[in-house]
Amino acid sequence: MDIVYASLKRRRPEPARAGEAAEVVGALWAHARPVDGLEHASARSEDDRIDLLLYLLTRTPSDPEAPGAVQRAGALLARCHRASPLLRSRYLAPDSSPAPDSGAADDTATVRDDRSG
């Protein structure tokens, strides 16, 4: 299983609303596809962002063209953000690959891969 940490930055910093984390996880499940390999998701709301842990099935290395966990998580977050009015209204669009020489851009989400056995 692969664990991917991601965060979506808020459009405007504000205190977390009751049930917000569950709403975001629900939106992820609503837009997940079998190819994403999503097994579990958890969320924690902060004033400036929402942090996500996405637990994805590990793909076999037999297909070097198959997207890795970070790419699958990024695709899921982007799809979910496009399709969910809730996510579009509260959070900036995700971007799993910041522009070269720019560091982490202020208007994008962060996606990081944490491998587990």
Side-chain angles (χ1 to χ4, degrees):
M1 181 167 293
D2 295 324
I3 302 171
V4 179
Y5 164 81
S7 64
L8 296 174
K9 293 185 180 184
R10 291 187 186 279
R11 292 190 176 277
R12 292 165 299 284
E14 61 186 42
R17 299 175 184 161
E20 179 177 3
E23 290 174 336
V24 172
V25 170
L28 285 171
W29 279 111
H31 300 289
R33 297 178 181 164
V35 70
D36 298 325
L38 184 64
E39 287 289 302
H40 179 71
S42 63
R44 178 180 169 165
S45 297
E46 300 291 340
D47 291 347
D48 63 338
R49 68 186 186 282
I50 189 157
D51 294 327
L52 303 162
L53 284 178
L54 305 176
Y55 298 79
L56 305 171
L57 290 173
T58 300
R59 299 288 188 219
T60 60
S62 61
D63 183 6
E65 299 296 318
V70 171
Q71 290 78 20
R72 289 183 285 137
L76 172 58
L77 286 172
R79 181 180 334 113
C80 190
H81 190 270
R82 281 191 308 272
S84 171
L86 172 92
L87 291 184
R88 280 194 318 270
S89 68
R90 288 186 191 162
Y91 306 101
L92 298 171
D95 179 15
S96 61
S97 55
D101 301 326
S102 68
D106 289 338
D107 61 348
T108 60
T110 303
V111 179
R112 184 177 73 219
D113 182 19
D114 292 323
R115 300 271 175 183
S116 71

